[in-house]
Amino acid sequence: MNSASVNTATSKRRLSADILELLGSMRFAVSLLVFICVASLIGTVLQQNQAASAYIDQFGPFWFALFDKFSIWHIYNSWWFLVVMGFLVVSTTICLLRNSPKMIKDARSFREYVRASSLRSFHHRVEATSALSTADALAGMQQWLSAQGYKYKLRHDGDSVMVAAKKGGANRLGYIFAHAAIVVVCVGGLLDSELPVRLQVWLGGKVPLTENMLISDVPDTGLLSPANPSFRANMLVPEGATSSNGIISVDNGVLVQPLPFALKLNKFIVDYYSTGMPSSFKSEVEVTDPETGASFSQTIEVNEPLRYKGVTVYQSSFDDGGSTLQMVGYPLQGAVSRPFDLNGVVGKDAELTVEGEGKGIPLKVEFSGLRVINVEDLSGDAEPQPKAMIEHVAAVTGSAAGARNEHLTNVGPSVQYRIIGSDGQAYEFTNYMLPIVLDGVPVFLAGVRESASVPYRYIRIPVDDKNSVAEFMDLRAALADPAMVRLAVQRFVAKNRSGDLPEELLQKAAENALLTFRRAGFNGIIDHVPEQDRENVLGFAVPMIQLSLIELRNAMRERSGRPAIDYDGPQGQAADQWMQMALLGLANLPDYPAPVFMTLKSFDQVEASVFQVARSPGKNTVYLGCLLLVIGVFSMFYIRDRRIWIWIKPHESGSDIMAAMTSQKRTLDFTHEFERFKEAFKRFTT
């Protein structure tokens, strides 16, 4: 072997030794522990496992993208946190393996080979000459040490004798137990983390599913073993349905976790506070063992889980289980207002084609939610925002249970859906089934937003005498009919012409104003007007448009065989309010990003319970770690180590006696104990 090979081998051994020294360093372990404590603090302060939209709202897109790199939204299962935990386990284990034998050996050793001359260097020492013989002095010292709980060992050196005594040696075990507790707790945490599942993805060939499919169609690469030692999955079970599989989210996909039993949801029960928040919810389930065919019933509640075959089923939350919806749609383009029916199921899609301006518009509708109860504070006529399900669930813990507000009103059911156009552009919508009184006027609210990261913005649609939006939709369609607009403008000009403005000019201005208003609302009217002139233009255009719409409404009603609205009679004020609200609604329609408006006609609600199913062997491991930690802390703080050396040698007709006492921690208690030892020593030597 040449010198280069020898140097390379030596360098590798030196590098391995340096790495081992680093991993076994107590400073390195403490640094890792501090890092984990800081990360845990972040995970405690920042609510974990929320929707991405919630974090975008809280931090903004830039910081969300930055923090997302470190997965602080699920920090306890982030790869770097698990890596740090793994290094802490390795580091602390090496520390234990290197130091425990020495600590145990030191705790068992009496150190009887201490030189007599070395005792003079101890700070806590005492010496005297006694008339007692060496044997009598030794017997007296042995008797006192035994009475004080010391164990001792003798070393004879000719006629002289060294007595080495100790007690509290279990104090050293405290350090071992405390460090072993860190290892055990971290191992338990790793067992109950996503690490076992991720290892199967990294090393076991498992591939998370990114497409929707039936459980029966899931390939083996997307199925975990029923004997998976540790997992934490979610399971949604509608009323009357049965499930025997949990879903585990991994990165941007999911894995299917088969369970050792089948769970059927017989009934879901939820009670509400007056605020509309759920006061409690529970699930009546039936569990069937596929191996034996045996079954039993149990009620699962918050803090009262089901435990069977090593799997724990927790009541997590609740959701919609596929409620059926009967919708009524109104076209928002062209001169057509004829409504149509559309049936849907929450969680599924529906296809439809809406009549537009001379052509059909294909759309896909995704029904995402049904909320039967919406309790809102309407004291300030604030428009409601649909509450996230997690906010409802959080109320069970008491965060909103005691809230009372006399202005709270149940505004009835609402439906949430997404409309996706042929170009792939999607918007989210929420519509309320019942009208809501805002500013003293009953209106239907139509909410829309681009994504879950922004709040809904609302269009108010006035309610007609049949408690529907049909009149408003007829008015919208009439506004898109050139003949109806021309007739309404003629009536407006006939009633409002004056000598100052030619009739033809007024009619053209009114027609252009209605055309622009229908296409772009008020913004279209003032879009090309200088800033300083906009107020004057609106002051002229708004009354003209409103009066023209009044005539358009009456012409529309006459065409359908209904009587015209009398704005001078007893119902005149209500008619004016309806028209003002219709004017605002029509002004906002150009910004409504859908060619159809849908209302909820009826529904058949199906509740679903959301369970968290977990197999957590690490729980017992963590309990063991906590026990070791208690024992270790108790040993370190309440077991005090003491060592005493007594050197006795003959001197003329008596003996010379010298003693020293020491401890790892020389506290005030140790000083007092040494003083008591000195008094006892003096009694023996005098």
Side-chain angles (χ1 to χ4, degrees):
M1 183 180 293
N2 56 34
S3 59
S5 300
V6 172
N7 292 335
T8 302
T10 303
S11 299
K12 289 182 178 179
R13 286 195 299 270
R14 187 176 302 166
L15 178 61
S16 300
D18 291 341
I19 293 176
L20 186 64
E21 182 67 26
L22 173 64
L23 292 176
S25 169
M26 188 62 69
R27 292 182 179 179
F28 183 68
V30 171
S31 300
L32 293 176
L33 188 60
V34 171
F35 192 87
I36 289 177
C37 290
V38 173
S40 300
L41 179 62
I42 296 174
T44 302
V45 174
L46 181 65
Q47 194 172 11
Q48 299 287 288
N49 301 315
Q50 301 299 300
S53 58
Y55 298 120
I56 293 175
D57 290 342
Q58 184 175 358
F59 298 104
F62 173 78
W63 290 108
F64 170 80
L66 179 62
F67 293 153
D68 191 53
K69 299 292 184 182
F70 300 96
S71 303
I72 68 171
W73 327 121
H74 43 89
I75 199 167
Y76 301 114
N77 284 307
S78 60
W79 65 268
W80 56 267
F81 187 85
L82 297 178
V83 168
V84 172
M85 287 272 287
F87 270 111
L88 180 60
V89 170
V90 172
S91 177
T92 310
T93 301
I94 293 176
C95 287
L96 278 175
L97 294 177
R98 292 176 60 183
N99 298 318
S100 295
K102 292 185 289 186
M103 288 185 175
I104 294 174
K105 182 179 179 181
D106 183 67
R108 297 177 60 183
S109 171
F110 285 88
R111 302 182 188 176
E112 68 274 17
Y113 291 100
V114 172
R115 287 183 164 189
S117 58
S118 300
L119 298 183
R120 298 185 183 278
S121 62
F122 281 72
H123 179 74
H124 296 84
R125 70 181 186 280
V126 61
E127 53 184 304
T129 300
S130 173
L132 297 174
S133 66
T134 302
D136 292 339
L138 176 61
M141 289 296 176
Q142 287 177 312
Q143 183 179 2
W144 184 87
L145 290 172
S146 298
Q148 297 299 316
Y150 282 88
K151 294 181 179 180
Y152 57 86
K153 191 173 184 179
L154 304 180
R155 178 176 63 85
H156 293 275
D157 187 5
D159 294 334
S160 302
V161 62
M162 172 69 77
V163 182
K166 67 180 180 68
K167 72 174 180 178
N171 174 271
R172 291 299 184 91
L173 297 178
Y175 291 92
I176 297 175
F177 280 125
H179 287 80
I182 295 176
V183 175
V184 172
V185 169
C186 289
V187 169
L190 290 173
L191 286 176
D192 284 352
S193 69
E194 293 182 356
L195 184 60
V197 174
R198 289 184 178 272
L199 286 176
Q200 296 180 62
V201 174
W202 297 335
L203 306 176
K206 299 300 180 181
V207 180
L209 306 172
T210 57
E211 298 179 358
N212 292 329
M213 63 180 66
L214 297 175
I215 295 294
S216 57
D217 296 334
V218 174
D220 291 340
T221 55
L223 278 174
L224 296 171
S225 170
N228 191 10
S230 174
F231 61 83
R232 190 173 299 273
N234 291 316
M235 182 169 63
L236 185 145
V237 186
E239 279 186 333
T242 302
S243 178
S244 59
N245 296 281
I247 302 298
I248 301 176
S249 297
V250 180
D251 298 328
N252 295 323
V254 297
L255 292 172
V256 178
Q257 174 62 60
L259 303 178
F261 54 84
L263 187 146
K264 178 182 179 182
L265 178 62
N266 291 326
K267 188 176 182 181
F268 180 79
I269 303 171
V270 58
D271 298 319
Y272 293 90
Y273 291 108
S274 60
T275 61
M277 297 295 184
S279 59
S280 65
F281 50 89
K282 55 188 176 182
S283 302
E284 296 180 357
V285 302
E286 180 180 344
V287 179
T288 302
D289 190 330
E291 295 181 356
T292 63
S295 63
F296 62 92
S297 298
Q298 184 170 329
T299 299
I300 304 176
E301 300 184 55
V302 177
N303 299 325
E304 294 184 16
L306 162 71
R307 294 182 173 88
Y308 186 65
K309 283 195 165 184
V311 177
T312 305
V313 182
Y314 300 93
Q315 179 69 68
S316 177
S317 63
F318 57 93
D319 208 335
D320 194 285
S323 300
T324 57
L325 309 171
Q326 292 79 45
M327 310 289 294
V328 177
Y330 294 87
L332 294 180
Q333 293 187 4
V336 180
S337 64
R338 182 173 61 254
F340 59 89
D341 294 331
L342 177 66
N343 295 327
V345 177
V346 174
K348 296 185 178 180
D349 304 341
E351 304 284 345
L352 75 154
T353 301
V354 180
E355 295 183 45
E357 297 180 349
K359 62 178 181 178
I361 304 175
L363 299 173
K364 184 171 76 170
V365 183
E366 296 179 352
F367 295 100
S368 56
L370 170 71
R371 304 194 189 283
V372 178
I373 295 178
N374 289 278
V375 177
E376 304 292 346
D377 183 359
L378 301 181
S379 58
D381 289 328
E383 295 174 347
Q385 289 286 339
K387 299 295 187 298
M389 181 60 66
I390 191 64
E391 295 181 19
H392 289 282
V393 175
V396 178
T397 63
S399 59
R404 297 187 61 85
N405 189 328
E406 60 183 5
H407 299 292
L408 292 176
T409 304
N410 181 11
V411 297
S414 65
V415 61
Q416 291 77 44
Y417 57 92
R418 297 173 72 237
I419 293 182
I420 304 174
S422 57
D423 58 353
Q425 183 67 44
Y427 289 89
E428 298 182 19
F429 300 86
T430 181
N431 291 342
Y432 288 80
M433 184 177 182
L434 303 176
I436 301 172
V437 178
L438 297 177
D439 296 330
V441 181
V443 296
F444 283 99
L445 288 180
V448 60
R449 64 183 181 183
E450 289 75 14
S451 67
S453 63
V454 297
Y456 284 98
R457 61 183 188 275
Y458 288 89
I459 294 177
R460 300 185 184 187
I461 300 178
V463 178
D464 57 26
D465 54 2
K466 295 182 180 179
N467 212 35
S468 72
V469 298
E471 180 109 355
F472 176 83
M473 293 301 169
D474 289 342
L475 181 61
R476 183 217 61 80
L479 186 59
D481 187 340
M484 292 293 294
V485 170
R486 191 175 302 110
L487 176 60
V489 168
Q490 289 174 354
R491 293 183 179 184
F492 161 73
V493 172
K495 292 181 180 180
N496 297 277
R497 62 186 175 184
S498 63
D500 298 336
L501 189 65
E503 181 176 332
E504 296 79 5
L505 185 59
L506 179 59
Q507 182 170 338
K508 184 176 182 180
E511 287 186 16
N512 290 336
L514 287 179
L515 177 63
T516 304
F517 176 74
R518 180 180 72 86
R519 187 183 68 252
F522 291 123
N523 289 332
I525 293 177
I526 62 173
D527 191 32
H528 300 291
V529 177
E531 184 73 29
Q532 65 273 15
D533 297 331
R534 290 183 176 181
E535 185 175 352
N536 293 333
V537 171
L538 287 176
F540 171 76
V542 172
M544 180 172 61
I545 293 173
Q546 182 171 349
L547 293 174
S548 298
L549 289 177
I550 290 175
E551 300 299 332
L552 182 63
R553 182 187 184 191
N554 282 333
M556 170 199 73
R557 292 176 64 89
E558 292 170 3
R559 185 175 64 175
S560 60
R562 292 175 290 172
I565 300 295
D566 183 6
Y567 288 87
D568 297 327
Q571 303 299 321
Q573 183 178 359
D576 283 335
Q577 289 179 334
W578 189 95
M579 181 52 67
Q580 291 173 7
M581 197 60 64
L583 179 68
L584 295 176
L586 291 170
N588 289 324
L589 271 187
D591 295 327
Y592 195 74
V596 62
F597 172 79
M598 292 192 294
T599 62
L600 180 62
K601 180 180 179 181
S602 62
F603 60 87
D604 184 12
Q605 186 185 23
V606 178
E607 297 273 19
S609 190
V610 179
F611 299 107
Q612 185 180 83
V613 291
R615 178 179 286 148
S616 50
K619 178 180 65 176
N620 295 329
T621 306
V622 171
Y623 289 160
L624 174 61
C626 292
L627 177 62
L628 293 176
L629 184 62
V630 170
I631 295 175
V633 171
F634 179 86
S635 300
M636 286 189 294
F637 284 94
Y638 294 98
I639 299 179
R640 296 172 296 176
D641 69 307
R642 301 287 188 268
R643 288 185 180 273
I644 296 177
W645 291 271
I646 304 174
W647 174 252
I648 306 173
K649 66 177 182 178
H651 176 73
E652 297 179 356
S653 60
S655 59
D656 286 337
I657 306 175
M658 182 169 53
M661 187 176 185
T662 188
S663 174
Q664 278 189 323
K665 297 181 179 180
R666 298 176 183 178
T667 61
L668 186 61
D669 290 338
F670 171 75
T671 303
H672 291 163
E673 187 168 346
F674 178 69
E675 293 298 326
R676 292 192 295 270
F677 172 69
K678 284 176 62 176
E679 294 176 2
F681 184 85
K682 291 178 180 178
R683 288 196 302 270
F684 279 113
T685 56
T686 57

